[in-house]
Amino acid sequence: MAFMAVLESDLRALSTEARRRYPGVKDGAEHAILKLRTLSNPSEIGHNEDILRIFLMACEVKTVKISVIGLSCLQKLISHDAVAPSALKEILSTLKDHADMADESIQLKTLQTILIILQSRLLPENEDDMAQALGICLRLLENVRSSDSVRNTAAATFRQAVALIFDHVVGAESLPAGKFSSGSQISRTSSVTGDVNRSINFSESLEQDFLSGGSSLMRENLSKAGKLGLRLLEDLTALAAGGSATWLWVSSLPRTFALDILEFILSNYAVMFRALVSYEQVLRHQICSLLMTSLRTNAEHEGEVGEPYFRRLVLRSVAHIIRLYSSSLTTECEVFLSMLVKVTYLDLPLWHRILVLELLRGFCVEARTLRILFQNFDMNPKNTNIVENMVKALAHVVSSVQVQDTSEESLAAVAGMFSSKAKGVEWSLDNDASNAAVIVASEAHAITLAVEGLLGVVFTVATLTDEAVDVGELESPRCDSDIQANFLGKTAVLCISMVDSLWLTTLDALSFILSRSQGEAIILEILKGYQAFTQACGVLRAVEPLNSFLASLCKFTIYIPNEAEKRSGMHSPGSKRSEPLVDQKDSIVLTPKNVQALRTLFNIAHRLHNVLGPSWVLVLETLAALDLAIHSPHATTQEVSSSVPKLTRDFSGQYSDFHILSSLNSQLFESSALMHISAVKSLLSALSQLSHQSMHGTLSSFGQPSSQKIGSIRFSVERMISILVNNLHRVEPLWDLVVGHFLELAENSDQHLRNLALDALDQSICAVLGSDQFQVAHSRGNDMETTPTELQALECVVISPLRVLYFSTQSIDVRIGSLKILLHVLERHGDKLQYSWLDILEMLRSVSNASEKDLVTLGFQSLRVIMNDGLSTIPVDCLQVCIDVTGAYSAQKTELNISLTAVGLLWTTIDFIAKGPLHENSEEKETEQTDGKKGEEGSLNISSKFNGQSPLNVVDRDKLLFSVFSLLQKLGSDERPEVRNSAVRTLFQILGSHGQKLSKSMWEDCLWNYVFPILDRSSHMAATSSKDEWQGKELGTRGGKAVHMLIHHSRNTAQKQWDETLVLVLGGIARLLRSFFPFLRSLRNFWSGWESLLLFVKNSSLNGSKEVTLAAINCLQTTVLSHSPKGNLPLPYLKSVLDVYEIVLQNSSNYGSNAAGKVRQEILHGLAELYVHAQQMFDSAMYTQLLTVMHLALGQAKISSDNVEAESGHVLQEQRSILEILPQLCPTEQLSSMWILLLRELLRYFPTSHSPSQTEESEINKATSNDLIPENQKMTRPEIPNGIGFVSSNKTEALLPSLSFAEKLVPVLVDLFLQAPLVEKYIMFPEVVQGLRSCNEESSSWSLTKSEVSKIAVMVVMTRCDYILKRFLIDENDLGEHPMPTARLEEVIYVLQELARLVVHPNTASVLPLNLTLRGVLEKEAHLGRRIHLLILFPSFCELVISREVRVRELVQVLLRLIATDLGLQSINLAG
């Protein structure tokens, strides 16, 4: 075993140490080792004294080393129960001898050994042995020669020994296990509330322990251990009193140490004093006597008795007796408490008073202690009112700050202490603080303790009240039923008694300290106390304390002076406000104290809303003042340095105090839904009373009513609405009270109050209509067949006041208010209305005739809600009225935007009629009879029910549709362009969207009565309207002249505006033809309508504007393209379109060049698309006509083009269009003969054979022939002379538009030629070749512009090429053997190739920097110098000949040959 091995090791160490000087010890150790080896476990060692004897022998030597080994081995043997109990006396004797040794380590080992003995089974049960063991500790403790560490260890060992002795007593007497400590031993929390809660929890656990401790009967007989503990207790009491011990082996002991041990016993072993008579007698007669004597304050104490530490121990012991034994020691505790209370009034040292206040504070925050004290003393007539006296003493300490010279400093220190405690930090002074600062801090500490004690009383009362509610002795103030007071329970009676006895003193002290304090933490704590006590008073129905605390709390919330106070600049005479919060500028500053007080008030109101009753008025006055402050632009919190505008506050990034308070203010009234109905009525009555007081104030005052009065009325109204909204489930008993007050306000002469009443009425009506109660009535009304019903009566009662308000007054603001209410009702609850629609629509019709813009706007908003969201709920017989009212708003001249939006609403109506509840029947629309005698009308067959009404038949449907069409046609002639354009768009969009649902007869009516008439009307107005420019809307004046809004030039005349309308009409017609052409073609007289449309297109090309012409062409083009691929377009329609295009092109010269070009482009692209989509319908004549139209367009483009554009070589837009469409005009198989016509037509645009030839290209081809250029560097692209341009010669045929066009036409011609059939290709081959050859002949003239451009270009090219070649040479030399990057190599090769292709015009070559002699020679020889640019780069070519790159060397050789050829050097024959 490990223990046996360690013990053998210790014996070997002992043998080694004693080897020389103590051979007997050595021999004994060796003998013990041999003996130890024969043993197997520690229990056998206890039966063998040889091993123990050798260790005792070692201790007898009394040398330090050997004694240490011996004591250590003794400790190990005792710890492992390897020592027989019979050896205890010998061991104690050895320890006593060692205690007398002067060595500190020996003394400490001795104390350790004693403690191990007491903790082992060797615990002495004999009084002599115990006295001897304790005496060793006390001897070391009182020995002046002992070191501090030894004395401290001795004191700790004695304390542990006492604890072990009394633990043994508890076990021997069969008392409850565990130690029972008083509440003062628990640590303090960061708030008084936390202290009270923790003391409650501790008290509950303590009571449970006492109750579970067995019988409560006290016993007189003691066990042996009990007697031993009693003797120890008596000796300790005697020593604490300054006497001598009779049992302990000590003559004297410090009183503070003895008293400290007594305090430890009293606090941890209360069960002994409760259960054992002998112990209780010692406590009553000896300990209490000792403490009473020590508490004397009328004489000076001498020695340690007068020291603060001894005084603290006495007070702590007294506190334990009061907490734990007051029930059995009533008289003694009464004396103790009276003496403690008396101390607070005496002129004693401040530290002494602070100690007493700490005790009193502890009693107050411990609910169990305070409850027992109040029950034992205050509720017992025979005893003193101890708790009341304690509270008065604490209040006296708080109020004493008024007479102190350092009151402000003390209060600041008190606030600091509370703040530190809230943060969990101990408050402390600086190290270098002066004596005055120490005095101030001490006074502040005393005040802090007193305040915490008062708060402890308050929270204890609140806690006990909550306990009474929990056990059912009191009703909760939040219950739904009427609360009946019933105070028969024990706890309830206790709470009532405590409130009656303590409230006045507590309120005075707390209100005083709250008025003088500024720290956040102390204010929060005091306000928590206010809240707790006020709520307790409300639960207990203590009216006077409740109202007093509420009144006091309201003083700290907010203060707004009345008018008289503002004028005088002073508070009202009866005001007791301690902090004036309003200055002469009417600003309101809320301090943190105000904010926290308001929060407390909200909490109280929430908690006690069912029991406040008449007290609501006081609360509401404060809340009204708060509401005024929240909405005041001058109101701030104290943290904000200057006034903050309301909007800035509302939208700041952080939640300010105003946000929080406003939210709390609203939540209070929202919670009225949880209140009893009688409480809600009390609250409404209080609000009405507040509003009446303010209303009478506004009527009786002169001039404008004050903002404060208006604010109070507004507050009352808003809160009444809030209550109504939150009590809709029981609105009947509250409605008269609320609405009656609103109606009274609506009759007021003040405009603000009237508006307020209208808003309130609006919210109230909407709230009722949106309530669940109205929903039930609405669903029940739908099931009733007879009228009037309950639903109809309710609806009429709600809606009729709006109509009466509008027609019975001439006041604009009242009319606007009624319309706003109507709008809100329709927006939110229009789907619930059934019986009020006619009245509402007639009211809106009358509004459309009003001249006030605001009225019209509001009325139209209501109509828009009806048309967008309410059509499905409107009865069928009201739809026509809706359409008429919408038309009235479309035609009104007050507001343009309203007219435009109303036109859109007509489309909404059509959508509703077509696919709303009036859905189509499942049967398809019948097709037309094949015999053509008559057509069956396919239309919407309405078969569904409409909101409980009869189904809408076809006649009614058609009537509604034509009603809308008629309105739109009428609006299409409106003098306002925006309105008529919107009407036109809407009409055609409706027809396009729902045309498939219209019958033939309806389509005929639409075409001849609405579509073509609106086209004729618009065309007539466009032709006859004024062309004078308009001036825009006048915006103001500048320099005495009017400034007008700018109008775009395309819309600055009446004619141009009508042109825009006409374009919209044509676009609408195009949409109809594209969508319904096959169906419309089957109508009677449709061809006449088509001819009228063609006639309009022809006329527009002669007389109309460009936009109208393009729109007309697009109308025809869209129709043809949409239906020709489907085979729905007959040939006459197609031919008629070609004829119209030809006529329009002939008349295109009537427009400006730009406009004509766009018309021609549109026609050309249209022709191409037309041919692509309808090529199967084309015959030879039509194809020939197509080419004729194209030729006509090109000829017109040539005529209209200017000379500058032609000279610059640009291709005109029309020519580009022809080039784009030519590939699409390939003749079909049945038109193969047209290939010859098409190709010959294109060849007409090439130059004739008489054009000058171009020789440069042949020379270039010769220079780049295969014998000069290697195979891998052949030039594949044809060389085009740089600086050579094509210009029309006088001999060019008149059909040639430009050489540029001919050039662009070449690839197109080639592609078409390749696509032609073989026969036609064979026939046209000679002509095509001849035409292409003529394009390659050089022109004899040279454009001056091209010459200048070429000169600039050639210098730029040469400079760049020279730089590239030189840079290549440098880089190649720098790289050495490394290869050149591919990109650089390709760049150089490309430059060399292009230099070989380049041919320079002589005029261009004149700018090149050549030697004058060389230039003269070249100018004389005309056939030389075509590649003169290569001479400029000749030095670089010479260096490049030796380049490492093979391709570069080969290209340079080619260039050098070209130079030689250009200079005529190759023709020299050296042999000749």
Side-chain angles (χ1 to χ4, degrees):
M1 295 178 60
F3 170 68
M4 308 293 282
V6 171
L7 198 59
E8 182 177 348
S9 176
D10 290 339
L11 288 171
R12 291 183 184 279
L14 181 61
S15 173
T16 302
E17 189 66 31
R19 180 174 52 187
R20 295 181 180 179
R21 298 181 59 185
Y22 306 102
V25 175
K26 172 182 173 297
D27 295 339
E30 293 176 349
H31 175 73
I33 291 174
L34 297 175
K35 189 68 175 178
L36 183 63
R37 292 175 178 176
T38 63
L39 304 178
S40 59
N41 54 62
S43 61
E44 295 180 2
I45 298 177
H47 297 90
N48 193 322
E49 297 182 356
D50 294 340
I51 297 177
L52 175 64
R53 182 62 57 191
I54 186 59
F55 292 129
L56 293 176
M57 183 187 302
C59 292
E60 290 175 358
V61 175
K62 294 186 178 180
T63 60
V64 175
K65 292 185 177 181
I66 296 177
S67 295
V68 168
I69 295 175
L71 291 175
S72 298
C73 292
L74 282 177
Q75 292 177 9
K76 294 174 183 177
L77 290 174
I78 296 171
S79 299
H80 288 80
D81 294 333
V83 177
S86 58
L88 178 61
K89 288 185 179 290
E90 190 174 358
I91 293 174
L92 291 176
S93 176
T94 302
L95 294 177
K96 178 181 178 183
D97 295 338
H98 280 72
D100 295 334
M101 295 178 65
D103 187 77
E104 180 178 341
S105 61
I106 297 298
Q107 292 175 346
L108 293 176
K109 278 290 185 181
T110 302
L111 292 172
Q112 290 178 2
T113 306
I114 290 175
L115 186 58
I116 291 174
I117 291 173
L118 296 177
Q119 292 174 341
S120 69
R121 63 187 182 91
L122 294 181
L123 175 69
E125 295 184 358
N126 184 277
E127 292 183 3
D128 294 335
D129 294 340
M130 183 62 74
Q132 184 178 4
L134 295 177
I136 294 173
C137 298
L138 295 176
R139 182 179 302 175
L140 290 174
L141 177 63
E142 67 179 355
N143 189 352
V144 296
R145 293 180 299 175
S146 300
S147 63
D148 292 340
S149 61
V150 173
R151 282 198 296 268
N152 293 336
T153 305
T157 303
F158 184 78
R159 177 184 289 270
Q160 291 182 350
V162 170
L164 291 171
I165 291 170
F166 285 108
D167 285 342
H168 187 56
V169 171
V170 171
E173 299 293 341
S174 301
L175 298 178
K179 299 180 180 180
F180 307 103
S181 60
S182 62
S184 64
Q185 300 302 316
I186 60 176
S187 60
R188 291 170 62 176
T189 62
S190 60
S191 65
V192 181
T193 312
D195 291 344
V196 172
N197 292 334
R198 293 191 64 183
S199 69
I200 292 171
N201 297 332
F202 170 77
S203 300
E204 291 176 352
S205 63
L206 188 62
E207 291 293 339
Q208 292 297 327
D209 290 337
F210 282 138
L211 293 176
S212 63
S215 174
S216 61
L217 298 178
M218 300 188 69
R219 290 175 286 172
E220 296 182 359
N221 298 326
L222 295 177
S223 63
K224 188 175 182 180
K227 293 177 181 179
L228 189 149
L230 182 62
R231 295 203 65 180
L232 175 60
L233 180 63
E234 289 174 343
D235 278 8
L236 289 174
T237 305
L239 291 172
S244 59
T246 59
W247 175 64
L248 290 174
W249 293 5
V250 63
S251 59
S252 65
L253 198 66
R255 295 185 63 184
T256 54
F257 180 75
L259 190 58
D260 187 21
I261 299 299
L262 274 181
E263 187 265 339
F264 170 74
I265 297 171
L266 289 174
S267 62
N268 290 280
Y269 298 98
V271 64
M272 299 188 310
F273 300 98
R274 289 172 176 258
L276 304 178
V277 175
S278 300
Y279 283 80
E280 193 267 345
Q281 293 297 325
V282 173
L283 174 62
R284 182 186 299 272
H285 298 293
Q286 298 180 29
I287 298 178
C288 288
S289 176
L290 164 66
L291 296 177
M292 288 180 187
T293 303
S294 301
L295 275 178
R296 288 181 302 171
T297 59
N298 55 355
E300 284 292 332
H301 293 286
E302 298 179 357
E304 62 179 342
V305 181
E307 294 179 357
Y309 180 66
F310 183 82
R311 182 66 58 183
R312 179 182 293 276
L313 289 175
V314 171
L315 291 175
R316 287 174 60 180
S317 301
V318 170
H320 294 317
I321 292 176
I322 294 174
R323 287 189 179 96
L324 300 176
Y325 313 105
S326 59
S327 298
S328 58
L329 303 178
T330 305
T331 304
E332 289 78 3
C333 290
E334 184 176 2
V335 173
F336 284 139
L337 288 168
S338 299
M339 295 176 69
L340 293 176
V341 171
K342 184 180 179 181
V343 169
T344 60
Y345 293 93
L346 297 178
D347 188 14
L348 294 175
L350 197 53
W351 61 264
H352 192 177
R353 296 174 58 202
I354 288 175
L355 293 178
V356 174
L357 288 172
E358 286 180 346
L359 257 64
L360 296 180
R361 184 256 182 208
F363 298 151
C364 293
V365 300
E366 296 172 13
R368 172 187 169 275
T369 302
L370 195 65
R371 176 176 185 168
I372 293 174
L373 293 180
F374 195 85
Q375 288 176 336
N376 293 340
F377 299 105
D378 292 67
M379 295 185 68
N380 190 343
K382 298 179 180 180
N383 296 332
T384 309
N385 294 335
I386 290 296
V387 176
E388 182 179 352
N389 293 337
M390 286 170 50
V391 173
K392 289 180 179 179
L394 296 175
H396 169 74
V397 175
V398 172
S399 61
S400 65
V401 74
Q402 300 180 83
V403 298
Q404 296 176 3
D405 296 335
T406 59
S407 60
E408 295 301 328
E409 293 84 351
S410 298
L411 289 174
V414 170
M417 291 179 180
F418 270 91
S419 178
S420 298
K421 181 179 179 181
K423 297 176 183 177
V425 180
E426 286 295 332
W427 186 87
S428 61
L429 282 173
D430 297 332
N431 294 330
D432 56 349
S434 61
N435 292 333
V438 174
I439 294 175
V440 170
S442 301
E443 293 174 349
H445 190 195
I447 297 171
T448 300
L449 292 172
V451 173
E452 290 183 347
L454 292 172
L455 291 175
V457 173
V458 167
F459 291 128
T460 298
V461 172
T463 303
L464 294 175
T465 304
D466 292 340
E467 180 182 338
V469 173
D470 293 338
V471 299
E473 296 181 11
L474 295 173
E475 289 289 342
S476 171
R478 308 300 294 273
C479 64
D480 296 333
S481 59
D482 278 335
I483 300 174
Q484 302 295 330
N486 182 15
F487 309 112
L488 301 179
K490 183 179 180 180
T491 306
V493 173
L494 172 66
C495 294
I496 287 292
S497 301
M498 293 184 75
V499 168
D500 291 340
S501 175
L502 307 176
W503 76 266
L504 186 57
T505 305
T506 304
L507 177 60
D508 290 340
L510 292 181
S511 62
F512 167 74
I513 197 67
L514 181 59
S515 65
R516 300 290 299 273
S517 300
Q518 297 299 330
E520 180 181 1
I522 187 173
I523 290 174
L524 285 176
E525 281 295 314
I526 295 174
L527 290 176
K528 287 180 183 178
Y530 262 84
Q531 177 179 336
F533 201 86
T534 306
Q535 291 177 355
C537 292
V539 175
L540 297 170
R541 310 302 181 272
V543 178
E544 184 179 1
L546 171 64
N547 291 337
S548 299
F549 266 83
L550 274 178
S552 176
L553 178 61
C554 290
K555 291 180 181 180
F556 299 102
T557 54
I558 191 172
Y559 175 66
I560 299 178
N562 54 36
E563 297 301 318
E565 291 172 347
K566 290 179 183 178
R567 289 191 294 267
S568 63
M570 300 171 59
H571 294 313
S572 59
S575 175
K576 295 182 180 180
R577 313 282 176 175
S578 59
E579 300 177 8
L581 301 177
V582 182
D583 59 13
Q584 295 300 317
K585 296 182 180 179
D586 221 14
S587 63
I588 304 170
V589 180
L590 292 183
T591 65
K593 184 189 300 184
N594 302 138
V595 174
Q596 295 301 333
L598 285 166
R599 291 188 178 186
T600 304
L601 184 63
F602 283 122
N603 293 338
I604 293 172
H606 274 290
R607 174 74 175 175
L608 303 179
H609 54 208
N610 279 339
V611 298
L612 282 178
S615 301
W616 270 116
V617 176
L618 183 60
V619 177
L620 292 176
E621 288 178 352
T622 302
L623 298 185
L626 169 63
D627 189 73
L628 180 62
I630 291 174
H631 294 87
S632 172
H634 304 292
T636 63
T637 55
Q638 196 177 59
E639 291 78 7
V640 183
S641 58
S642 60
S643 297
V644 181
K646 178 173 180 281
L647 290 178
T648 304
R649 291 204 313 265
D650 287 345
F651 295 95
S652 61
Q654 300 177 349
Y655 284 106
S656 65
D657 290 329
F658 285 102
H659 287 94
I660 299 172
L661 293 175
S662 178
S663 178
L664 293 174
N665 198 356
S666 301
Q667 291 174 7
L668 175 62
F669 296 92
E670 292 171 1
S671 65
S672 61
L674 306 176
M675 298 167 58
H676 190 265
I677 191 64
S678 60
V680 179
K681 289 183 177 179
S682 299
L683 179 56
L684 287 173
S685 299
L687 286 169
S688 181
Q689 179 181 348
L690 178 63
S691 179
H692 277 101
Q693 292 174 358
S694 302
M695 194 189 309
H696 294 154
T698 59
L699 294 175
S700 60
S701 60
F702 298 98
Q704 294 294 326
S706 67
S707 59
Q708 183 176 353
K709 299 293 184 181
I710 295 294
S712 297
I713 298 175
R714 183 183 300 277
F715 170 80
S716 300
V717 170
E718 290 176 352
R719 296 305 175 262
M720 293 177 81
I721 295 174
S722 177
I723 294 172
L724 182 68
V725 169
N726 288 281
N727 289 273
L728 292 174
H729 58 287
R730 49 179 181 179
V731 71
E732 292 83 4
L734 308 176
W735 179 258
D736 293 339
L737 190 59
V738 175
V739 176
H741 185 67
F742 294 163
L743 295 178
E744 185 178 355
L745 277 178
E747 298 175 359
N748 197 282
S749 59
D750 185 76
Q751 181 179 355
H752 296 287
L753 298 184
R754 292 200 304 271
N755 293 339
L756 188 63
L758 288 172
D759 292 339
L761 188 60
D762 179 8
Q763 297 179 48
S764 301
I765 292 175
C766 290
V768 174
L769 290 177
S771 63
D772 294 338
Q773 185 177 8
F774 189 83
Q775 292 279 13
V776 172
H778 174 69
S779 60
R780 186 170 64 248
N782 281 342
D783 298 333
M784 296 183 180
E785 299 179 357
T786 59
T787 58
T789 62
E790 180 182 354
L791 175 62
Q792 181 179 9
L794 179 60
E795 182 179 323
C796 293
V797 167
V798 173
I799 299 300
S800 60
L802 302 179
R803 191 170 185 273
V804 173
L805 269 178
Y806 184 82
F807 289 108
S808 63
T809 181
Q810 298 300 321
S811 176
I812 299 300
D813 61 332
V814 176
R815 285 189 168 190
I816 290 176
S818 63
L819 289 175
K820 287 182 178 179
I821 297 174
L822 176 61
L823 175 61
H824 294 164
V825 169
L826 292 173
E827 286 176 340
R828 302 168 188 172
H829 312 290
D831 57 329
K832 304 181 185 70
L833 301 179
Q834 296 186 61
Y835 307 103
S836 306
W837 285 113
L838 288 178
D839 292 339
I840 293 174
L841 292 172
E842 290 300 328
M843 177 180 173
L844 294 178
R845 189 202 298 269
S846 63
V847 174
S848 67
N849 299 323
S851 59
E852 293 81 5
K853 180 179 177 180
D854 293 339
L855 292 178
V856 177
T857 301
L858 284 171
F860 179 69
Q861 289 178 3
S862 299
L863 178 65
R864 185 166 56 182
V865 172
I866 296 173
M867 301 300 287
N868 288 335
D869 305 323
L871 286 177
S872 59
T873 62
I874 296 179
V876 173
D877 53 359
C878 295
L879 286 177
Q880 183 61 53
V881 182
C882 284
I883 295 174
D884 294 341
V885 174
T886 307
Y889 278 95
S890 301
Q892 57 82 33
K893 301 297 193 296
T894 304
E895 177 62 31
L896 174 62
N897 290 331
I898 291 178
S899 298
L900 296 177
T901 311
V903 171
L905 293 181
L906 292 174
W907 189 2
T908 303
T909 307
I910 293 296
D911 289 341
F912 170 76
I913 296 174
K915 57 184 178 181
L918 316 175
H919 55 271
E920 292 189 31
N921 195 3
S922 58
E923 298 178 357
E924 297 290 339
K925 184 169 59 177
E926 297 182 5
T927 57
E928 185 183 5
Q929 297 293 333
T930 56
D931 55 5
K933 295 181 179 179
K934 62 177 180 178
E936 297 294 335
E937 295 183 356
S939 61
L940 288 174
N941 188 9
I942 294 88
S943 60
S944 62
K945 294 283 183 178
F946 183 84
N947 198 21
Q949 306 292 329
S950 58
L952 187 66
N953 55 41
V954 177
V955 177
D956 294 336
R957 192 282 309 265
D958 293 348
K959 181 179 179 182
L960 293 176
L961 292 177
F962 285 128
S963 176
V964 175
F965 294 157
S966 178
L967 285 174
L968 292 175
Q969 183 195 28
K970 183 178 179 181
L971 292 172
S973 301
D974 195 281
E975 62 184 11
R976 296 168 293 180
E978 300 85 357
V979 176
R980 66 171 178 262
N981 291 343
S982 177
V984 168
R985 289 192 192 96
T986 304
L987 175 61
F988 286 104
Q989 286 171 344
I990 290 173
L991 291 174
S993 301
H994 305 292
Q996 70 275 10
K997 302 176 183 179
L998 301 181
S999 63
K1000 284 188 176 182
S1001 60
M1002 292 187 67
W1003 264 113
E1004 290 174 354
D1005 289 338
C1006 289
L1007 289 178
W1008 305 119
N1009 296 332
Y1010 303 112
V1011 175
F1012 288 113
I1014 203 171
L1015 176 63
D1016 297 338
R1017 173 67 177 173
S1018 300
S1019 177
H1020 174 73
M1021 293 303 298
T1024 59
S1025 296
S1026 172
K1027 299 182 180 180
D1028 298 335
E1029 291 189 5
W1030 288 353
Q1031 283 188 336
K1033 181 181 178 182
E1034 185 174 344
L1035 302 177
T1037 58
R1038 176 183 294 175
K1041 296 182 179 180
V1043 178
H1044 297 273
M1045 181 184 295
L1046 293 178
I1047 302 178
H1048 194 268
H1049 65 85
S1050 63
R1051 297 292 181 266
N1052 59 356
T1053 66
Q1055 184 186 41
K1056 293 178 181 179
Q1057 295 282 3
W1058 276 104
D1059 284 343
E1060 181 185 10
T1061 304
L1062 193 53
V1063 169
L1064 292 175
V1065 173
L1066 290 170
I1069 294 175
R1071 179 182 177 185
L1072 295 181
L1073 293 176
R1074 181 175 65 248
S1075 302
F1076 306 106
F1077 183 79
F1079 175 76
L1080 297 178
R1081 190 166 53 85
S1082 64
L1083 300 179
R1084 295 189 301 270
N1085 300 326
F1086 178 75
W1087 177 257
S1088 61
W1090 177 261
E1091 289 180 335
S1092 65
L1093 181 60
L1094 296 176
L1095 179 61
F1096 174 81
V1097 176
K1098 297 175 184 176
N1099 294 334
S1100 66
S1101 66
L1102 296 174
N1103 304 319
S1105 64
K1106 176 192 68 175
E1107 291 83 359
V1108 175
T1109 304
L1110 291 176
I1113 293 172
N1114 183 67
C1115 178
L1116 297 179
Q1117 186 73 17
T1118 302
T1119 305
V1120 174
L1121 294 181
S1122 299
H1123 300 286
S1124 56
K1126 306 174 184 178
N1128 296 329
L1129 185 70
L1131 191 60
Y1133 289 92
L1134 181 60
K1135 290 183 178 180
S1136 64
V1137 172
L1138 287 175
D1139 294 340
V1140 169
Y1141 282 171
E1142 187 173 0
I1143 295 174
V1144 172
L1145 283 177
Q1146 292 173 356
N1147 299 329
S1148 62
S1149 59
N1150 295 338
Y1151 309 104
S1153 59
N1154 186 32
K1158 290 185 178 180
V1159 171
R1160 287 191 291 269
Q1161 291 177 50
E1162 186 72 21
I1163 292 178
L1164 287 173
H1165 285 288
L1167 284 173
E1169 293 179 0
L1170 179 63
Y1171 179 74
V1172 170
H1173 289 85
Q1175 58 185 355
Q1176 299 301 327
M1177 301 175 62
F1178 271 70
D1179 55 13
S1180 300
M1182 294 177 63
Y1183 192 84
T1184 303
Q1185 186 179 9
L1186 177 65
L1187 296 179
T1188 302
V1189 174
M1190 183 185 68
H1191 178 71
L1192 183 61
L1194 191 60
Q1196 292 287 353
K1198 178 182 177 182
I1199 295 173
S1200 60
S1201 61
D1202 52 26
N1203 294 329
V1204 176
E1205 199 172 31
E1207 182 182 357
S1208 62
H1210 292 170
V1211 179
L1212 301 178
Q1213 289 293 340
E1214 295 89 332
Q1215 297 171 355
R1216 293 179 185 175
S1217 299
I1218 290 176
L1219 292 174
E1220 292 173 359
I1221 69 172
L1222 280 176
Q1224 305 175 23
L1225 300 183
C1226 297
T1228 59
E1229 293 182 1
Q1230 62 267 26
L1231 298 177
S1232 59
S1233 60
M1234 292 294 102
W1235 277 100
I1236 298 176
L1237 181 63
L1238 174 62
L1239 294 175
R1240 286 176 177 171
E1241 180 67 24
L1242 297 181
L1243 289 172
R1244 295 173 62 188
Y1245 304 118
F1246 287 158
T1248 63
S1249 59
H1250 300 288
S1251 299
S1253 61
Q1254 304 174 10
T1255 62
E1256 282 79 1
E1257 187 167 351
S1258 62
E1259 295 175 359
I1260 295 172
N1261 291 333
K1262 179 180 179 181
T1264 58
S1265 60
N1266 292 338
D1267 60 341
L1268 296 179
I1269 302 176
E1271 184 66 24
N1272 60 347
Q1273 298 294 336
K1274 289 182 179 180
M1275 307 295 181
T1276 58
R1277 288 184 293 176
E1279 299 183 45
I1280 300 174
N1282 187 15
I1284 300 298
F1286 293 107
V1287 183
S1288 302
S1289 67
N1290 295 332
K1291 297 181 180 181
T1292 302
E1293 190 176 343
L1295 290 180
L1296 178 62
S1298 68
L1299 289 176
S1300 300
F1301 175 73
E1303 181 182 354
K1304 301 291 184 183
L1305 186 60
V1306 169
V1308 178
L1309 174 65
V1310 173
D1311 291 340
L1312 291 175
F1313 176 74
L1314 295 177
Q1315 297 179 34
L1318 290 177
V1319 176
E1320 284 74 13
K1321 188 183 300 184
Y1322 177 78
I1323 296 173
M1324 291 300 300
F1325 183 76
E1327 299 181 29
V1328 171
V1329 172
Q1330 177 65 25
L1332 293 177
R1333 185 189 65 79
S1334 65
C1335 292
N1336 293 324
E1337 295 180 353
E1338 180 182 0
S1339 175
S1340 61
S1341 61
W1342 174 250
S1343 172
L1344 178 61
T1345 303
K1346 290 184 177 181
S1347 176
E1348 294 301 324
V1349 173
S1350 298
K1351 290 178 181 180
I1352 297 173
V1354 73
M1355 289 303 299
V1356 174
V1357 171
M1358 290 298 100
T1359 303
R1360 181 62 183 170
C1361 291
D1362 183 59
Y1363 172 80
I1364 292 173
L1365 297 178
K1366 289 180 178 179
R1367 187 75 255 176
F1368 178 80
L1369 289 170
I1370 295 172
D1371 292 344
E1372 189 177 40
N1373 293 331
D1374 293 341
L1375 289 174
E1377 298 300 327
H1378 298 283
M1380 179 69 67
T1382 304
R1384 292 292 306 280
L1385 186 61
E1386 292 179 354
E1387 179 187 32
V1388 172
I1389 292 174
Y1390 175 79
V1391 169
L1392 295 176
Q1393 290 175 343
E1394 293 302 320
L1395 287 173
R1397 294 191 182 99
L1398 182 63
V1399 177
V1400 181
H1401 193 276
N1403 289 344
T1404 305
S1406 62
V1407 300
L1408 296 177
L1410 289 175
N1411 183 275
L1412 296 177
T1413 303
L1414 180 61
R1415 184 188 299 277
V1417 172
L1418 295 175
E1419 288 178 355
K1420 292 179 181 179
E1421 300 293 336
H1423 64 283
L1424 301 178
R1426 301 308 301 273
R1427 302 184 187 275
I1428 193 172
H1429 59 283
L1430 297 179
L1431 297 176
I1432 305 300
L1433 303 174
F1434 186 78
S1436 299
F1437 295 154
C1438 294
E1439 297 184 21
L1440 286 173
V1441 171
I1442 60 174
S1443 172
R1444 294 195 305 271
E1445 300 294 336
V1446 176
R1447 289 184 296 172
V1448 173
R1449 291 200 306 270
E1450 292 175 348
L1451 285 173
V1452 172
Q1453 292 172 9
V1454 172
L1455 291 173
L1456 293 176
R1457 293 190 189 100
L1458 291 175
I1459 293 174
T1461 302
D1462 198 51
L1463 295 177
L1465 299 179
Q1466 280 187 336
S1467 61
I1468 299 176
N1469 189 350
L1470 296 177

